[in-house]
Each structure stands twice: as structure tokens, then as C-alpha cells.
Amino acid sequence: MMSNSPGQRMKIGDFLLRRLKEAGVRHLFGVPGDYNLELLQQLQDTGALKWIGTCSELNASYAADGYARLNGLGALLVTNGVGPLAAINGVGGSYSEHVPVICISGSIPLRSIDRGLGMHHTMADGSFNHFLEAYAHVTAAQARLTPRNAVIEIDRLILTAWREKLPVYMELPSDIAYLDIEVPTDPLVLADPQSDPERLRSCIAAIAERLSAAASPAILVDADADRFGVAPELMKLGEKLQAPVAVVVAAKAAIDETFAHYLGVYNGKASEPQVRKAIEASDCLLAVGYRPIEVTTGDFTASLPVHTIHARGHSVDIGDDNYQAVTLKEVLTGVIDAVPRVTNRARRQVGEAVAAAPANGDASAQLTQAAYWQAMQGYLREGDVLFVDNGTAFTLFGLKFPPKCTLVGSVNWGSIGYSVGALLGALTAAPERRHILFVGDGSFQVSAQELSTILRHDHKPVIFLVNNGGYTIERGYLGKDEAYNDIANWSYADLPKVFRRDTSARSFVAKTNGDLQKALSASNDTMIFVESIMDRYDALAPIINSGNKGADLDYGPRGPQCRDNQLQPV
Ligand SMILES: Cc1ncc(C[n+]2csc(CCOP(=O)(O)OP(=O)(O)O)c2C)c(N)n1
Ligand SMILES: [Mg+2]
């Protein structure tokens, strides 16, 4: 890429947009500002990308993340200081969740830095590096572009994001976007560096030998399997070895749940017994991208076999050996070829899925969480993109997904409101799929304005919002009846009309089973917005239990949760 190929002259801004496009980024999210308008003008004049203006930079960062989940790479454009700091929570989430997002800040002119001129959107303290330094903590690479480094840095940052599956941060000073520099004519090629041949060979041989000799091999998948795009390889391997494949909750839906060797969700002691046994008693477990936290390990009760092989994006641990310069896809492809096909392994018993039944009970009965989620199980269909925010919406993790579904969530980072911005991004990346959002009233209130952008672009998602008067999941931690867990009671179902006067969205308010059934039978040719009214104490036992346990961990034995101030399972 930075080859000796003949160059051409191009404006720095145009070159940046060209590189983004070559990397597969077709849309840019963000908010205009004086320090980035010049790049927006270049975008407008060249038509290189489509601009999707958002209501806030935080939502832009969520949208770029949601876009990257489906597209492989996403980008946002913000304006100096105020923009990057508004977006940093979302970019931090991309870092935590391993999502490649390019955050571009149109920044103060190089002229001002050279001359030490104080400018607006800065701390007015003579330092111009605050935001680069802040982003050093939440990105894999950062740079301020100059006419000298632009070609190298633009390519380095885009490639780093894509290869590491992590966000990067770039400052484009506003007075250089229109300057001509010499740039390569060759397109940017997104590719991993080739593995070291000897390391790759030895690594494949070591894994294949162990898996072939094992009586009960198994595979455990975390989110990186999705980010590095190796789910098909893992299923092939599971099939060839007749080995069960389990996921941790952060990787729910990464493996097709209708796959014959799909085992279920492994979550330590909280797992189904057959899942726990297959993973913990495996004599050769291959774990992919495993990053344990309390939520994915049944509160640290996970216990992987001592000799677990840990494969990551670019390295593998096998016993005492650590293999560097090996890429996950090449490793897995090699292992699939190297292991013999197994045809006679005793089939493991796979847990029964929740029955796909319609909401039960009397049509006039008040809607409960139990009936709601049973109805949702029946509503899901092949190929859906599902979004889950924090809260009782986590009940979605307990449903069985039809084939080819994608789940967009944020299990590690868990910032409320993420799902609404991510929905905009994913709709932009893959408008042909059906997108379904599961969100609580509290989470929705954080990023509700972005519903207007979704309506503005004529998207047709299904939005299931639970109105339970506040932060129910938090009541299971602390403050069952405290006012700090209450929120204002919006007229949610009216919002499509508020955000777009001529909307064709179908809005429903469901108070009973019958109301919900009516909403579920609406066709998907326009946005469907379903506000379901539920009791503020209503949550399924696993949700409440996780809050109760979380409180013990968070506050310790002398914490305030001991004062009978906690929602408890009934
Ligand atoms: C940015 C951010 N602030 C605060 C929290 C803490 N938090 C986690 S869940 C939650 C409440 C969610 O309430 P809601 O969306 O209404 O869900 P439900 O009532 O169904 O549990 C809050 C405030 C968070 N996760 N992220
Ligand atoms: Mg709520």
C-alpha cells in the first residue's frame, strides 16, 4: 500500500474519504462543526460517502459501532473537543467490545497550533493534545494528521482498526483538508498480515494433535469469533470433530443456534448442566477470544479445563507455548484440514429450547414479563437483526434464536441507550434485513432523539419498548422503592409522530396480552413501535437474581442491600 507505485496528487480530505470508501465504509455518522465542515464539503462535492447526521456525537459513536458490527468497519466525524468528548463513551464501548470504528475529529487548524493561538472548543490553556491523550485510553491508535504524515497515518489507522478490531482516533486539522499531497494510486487492501509460516505450521499441528487425540473435545466461543469472522470455520471444525460448540453470553448468536453441534450458553454454574459438563469436563477445550467478566462467567464460577487452548485474533496459547504472528482464520482453516473426520462420537444431549408458543393466558390479562417474552420467542424469525439494551431486555439472551440471526448488544460495556444508536447504524449498513430493538424506558430516554434519524431515513425497524416506570433491573441491586430508580413517564408510542409529522409508523400501546398480539400481527412494511406497559417489580427470576448477586459483589457484606431494599424473586 505504501508502495513505490506511481503517485497522484490529491487533497488530504479527498484522500481520507477515498481510503474510507476503499475500506468498505459507505456512510459517515456525526455532527457538523466549523472544524469539520470543510471535510463535509469535500464529501458533498465528491459524493464519496453518504453523510448521516445524528442528533448527538454519542449517538453517532453508537451508530458507527452498530454499522461496524454488520459492515466490518464504521466511522464517525465530530468537531474538536466537544465532539470527541461527547463520543468517548461510545468509542470506549467499541474498545471494550472489540469493534473497529474510526473516530475522525475535525480539529483546530495547524496554524493555531504552530502559533499557539487560543481557539474555541479547547481548554484555552495552551495545550492542544488533551483529546488525543484522552483517546489514547480507548483506541488502538491515534494521530493528528499533517501534510507530511497524512498518507502513512490514514492507512495505518484504518488498517489498525480493521486488523485489531478496535477503534482508532484521527484529528484532521481544518486548514489542511484542502491541501494537495502526493498519494498512492493503488487502493487500500484490507488484509491481515500473513502468518509466520513455521509458527502457523507448529500451531496448527499442536492444536490438531490435541483435538484428534481427545475423547471429548469442545469449543467455547466469545465475541471475537464474530468480530474476526470465524464462526463458519468454528462450525466446520465442530462438525468435522462432532464436537459441541458453546458460546459465552457476549457471543450469543455468533454461532447459529440451529447448528447441529450448538450446545448453548456457557455461564459457569448458571449454565444448563449438559453445557457445563461438556465444557468443564472436556479433555481438549478450544476457547476463542475468551475474556471472562462476572456477567459471562456466572459470577466467576466458570472453570475451564487447565489445558484449555486459548486462540485469539493474532496469537494462540497452548500449554506453555505461546504462538505469535498467527492469524485466527489461518489457524482454524489449517486445523480443520488437519483433523480426521469423526463419525461415531456419541451425540450429546442438547437442552430443549423454550417452546415457540404464542403469549399464553387470557387476552384481557395484564401483560407480564413472562407472557411478553414467550410471545417474543414466537415473533423472531430467520435472518433478524436483534438489538438488546441493558435492563429486563436481557431476558432476550434466554430465547432460542432462529437461523442466521445477528445479535447486537454490549455485554462488557453495557452503556444504556447504546441500542438505539446502534439500531440506526445497523439499519444503515443492512436495510434489507428485519431489525428488532428490545429496550427499556430508562435506556431509551438516553438516546431517544435518534428515533428521528431512523424515521428521517425511512427505516422500518420493530421497536419493543417496555414502560415499567424506571430502572427495574436496578431495583434488584438496590432501591426497590426508591425514587432514584423512577423516571418520567413519557408518552412513548406518540414519539414517532413527534419526530416525524408525516410518519407512517404504526404505534401500539400494549397493556394486555391481547393488545400485544394485535401489535405482533402488524406487517413490517413500516416502522412498528410497541410500548408495553408493565409492572415496575415485574422481572424474571434470572434478571432479579443477577441484580441481587451483583449487589453483594459491588457493595460487599456491609452494603445497603441488606436493608430489605432490594427487589427479590417471588
Ligand atoms: C450510561 C449508563 N448509565 C447508567 C447505567 C446503569 N444502568 C444499568 S441498567 C439501568 C436501567 C435500565 O432501565 P430500563 O432501560 O428501563 O430497563 P428495565 O426497567 O427494563 O430494567 C441503568 C440506569 C448504565 N448501564 N449505563
Ligand atoms: Mg424500565
Side-chain angles (χ1 to χ4, degrees):
M1 124 223 90
M2 280 157 274
S3 60
N4 298 325
S5 68
Q8 70 181 101
R9 298 198 72 80
M10 215 170 165
K11 299 190 187 316
I12 293 175
D14 288 343
F15 178 67
L16 169 58
L17 297 171
R18 185 188 122 193
R19 280 306 203 220
L20 289 170
K21 192 174 175 192
E22 288 167 356
V25 175
R26 294 161 290 130
H27 301 81
L28 192 57
F29 301 92
V31 180
D34 59 317
Y35 298 125
N36 69 27
L37 286 172
E38 84 295 346
L39 183 70
L40 277 170
Q41 193 57 51
Q42 290 175 316
L43 176 144
Q44 204 64 35
D45 292 343
T46 58
L49 306 181
K50 192 154 182 243
W51 173 246
I52 309 287
T54 55
C55 304
S56 76
E57 287 87 351
L58 175 62
N59 291 345
S61 66
Y62 290 157
D65 182 298
Y67 186 87
R69 300 281 187 115
L70 274 82
N71 186 61
L73 199 59
L76 68 152
L77 176 65
V78 299
T79 195
N80 199 76
V82 294
L85 290 197
I88 201 166
N89 172 1
V91 177
S94 301
Y95 194 71
S96 168
E97 299 284 331
H98 290 185
V99 181
V101 164
I102 299 158
C103 180
I104 305 161
S105 173
S107 62
I108 59 171
L110 282 184
R111 172 185 193 275
S112 302
I113 296 178
D114 267 1
R115 298 184 171 186
L117 302 177
M119 299 289 289
H120 68 285
H121 299 336
T122 72
M123 305 307 187
D125 61 354
S127 167
F128 301 103
N129 294 334
H130 291 302
F131 313 117
L132 270 170
E133 285 167 13
Y135 267 78
H137 297 278
V138 295
T139 54
Q142 324 76 36
R144 174 180 297 135
L145 301 187
T146 68
R148 276 89 57 209
N149 73 15
V151 166
I152 289 174
E153 291 293 4
I154 288 170
D155 284 358
R156 178 179 75 98
L157 293 187
I158 295 175
L159 268 176
T160 300
W162 188 83
R163 286 180 172 171
E164 305 291 337
K165 310 304 177 200
L166 289 172
V168 295
Y169 176 69
M170 177 189 302
E171 291 192 348
L172 172 66
S174 57
D175 59 347
I176 70 167
Y178 274 81
L179 301 187
D180 284 315
I181 55 166
E182 170 134 341
V183 303
T185 49
D186 290 349
L188 181 67
V189 178
L190 292 184
D192 272 319
Q194 285 212 341
S195 302
D196 175 272
E198 180 282 323
R199 291 282 78 194
L200 181 65
R201 250 194 329 272
S202 332
C203 179
I204 290 170
I207 298 176
E209 187 192 317
R210 283 167 174 74
L211 283 174
S212 310
S216 54
I219 300 172
L220 179 62
V221 171
D222 203 332
D224 274 2
D226 167 65
R227 309 299 190 263
F228 285 89
V230 295
E233 283 76 12
L234 290 168
M235 289 195 279
K236 256 190 216 161
L237 184 59
E239 191 172 9
K240 196 163 179 196
L241 289 170
Q242 294 198 340
V245 184
V247 300
V248 303
V249 72
K252 168 98 177 159
I255 300 296
D256 197 311
E257 298 193 358
T258 58
F259 170 57
H261 300 276
Y262 176 69
L263 187 63
V265 177
Y266 175 68
N267 191 16
K269 280 190 180 158
S271 321
E272 298 284 324
Q274 77 280 0
V275 178
R276 195 170 163 214
K277 180 156 174 264
I279 295 302
E280 296 182 1
S282 168
D283 58 355
C284 184
L285 180 67
L286 172 63
V288 179
Y290 187 57
R291 289 195 293 149
I293 63 168
E294 90 280 33
V295 184
T296 58
T297 57
D299 290 300
F300 310 116
T301 58
S303 162
L304 304 195
V306 189
H307 298 297
T308 297
I309 299 168
H310 283 282
R312 293 174 287 266
H314 304 280
S315 66
V316 177
D317 267 314
I318 309 172
D320 288 338
D321 295 322
N322 174 263
Y323 295 82
Q324 294 291 333
V326 291
T327 64
L328 189 53
K329 199 163 232 159
E330 286 189 295
V331 169
L332 291 174
T333 309
V335 172
I336 293 166
D337 288 345
V339 294
R341 181 171 293 284
V342 174
T343 52
N344 56 354
R345 200 171 329 264
R347 259 297 158 78
R348 275 165 208 289
Q349 198 201 329
V350 173
E352 276 303 301
V354 188
N360 54 10
D362 177 354
S364 63
Q366 289 297 308
L367 195 54
T368 61
Q369 288 268 345
Y372 181 77
W373 289 104
Q374 202 177 13
M376 291 308 155
Q377 178 68 80
Y379 189 71
L380 305 186
R381 68 173 192 229
E382 180 166 343
D384 283 343
V385 186
L386 308 170
F387 299 79
V388 58
D389 217 304
N390 274 44
T392 60
F394 280 157
T395 311
L396 182 72
F397 286 112
L399 267 49
K400 163 113 179 162
F401 293 172
K404 302 194 176 88
C405 285
T406 303
L407 180 62
V408 178
S410 173
V411 168
N412 289 331
W413 190 244
S415 184
I416 57 171
Y418 162 76
S419 67
V420 183
L423 173 67
L424 167 65
L427 281 162
T428 308
E432 69 290 352
R433 294 177 67 179
R434 187 172 78 155
H435 297 247
I436 309 179
L437 169 64
F438 296 94
V439 65
D441 46 1
S443 302
F444 185 75
Q445 288 196 358
V446 177
S447 49
Q449 329 88 301
E450 232 50 61
L451 187 61
S452 75
T453 314
I454 292 169
L455 287 161
R456 180 180 178 188
H457 293 284
D458 292 315
H459 292 302
K460 302 174 173 53
V462 187
I463 298 180
F464 290 115
L465 179 142
V466 170
N467 178 351
N468 52 15
Y471 306 137
T472 292
I473 197 168
E474 303 275 64
R475 299 183 200 278
Y477 281 75
L478 194 65
K480 178 181 175 199
D481 294 305
E482 300 292 2
Y484 55 68
N485 281 327
D486 300 339
I487 60 171
N489 188 13
W490 294 4
S491 182
Y492 298 96
D494 291 334
L495 287 176
K497 180 86 186 138
V498 170
F499 285 132
R500 182 164 176 171
R501 286 174 199 282
D502 66 342
T503 186
S504 59
R506 294 195 183 90
S507 277
F508 300 86
V509 178
K511 294 183 176 156
T512 64
N513 289 332
D515 295 340
L516 181 63
Q517 281 311 320
K518 192 166 157 235
L520 296 185
S521 59
S523 77
N524 292 124
D525 54 358
T526 184
M527 177 189 286
I528 297 174
F529 191 103
V530 187
E531 174 186 351
S532 295
I533 314 281
M534 278 194 258
D535 189 272
R536 66 183 189 154
Y537 299 140
D538 190 6
L540 297 189
I543 298 285
I544 301 177
N545 284 330
S546 75
N548 292 174
K549 280 200 189 130
D552 289 342
L553 184 68
D554 286 355
Y555 316 131
R558 297 182 57 188
Q561 75 276 19
C562 308
R563 296 197 319 224
D564 195 23
N565 190 12
Q566 218 181 24
L567 178 61
Q568 303 274 345
V570 275

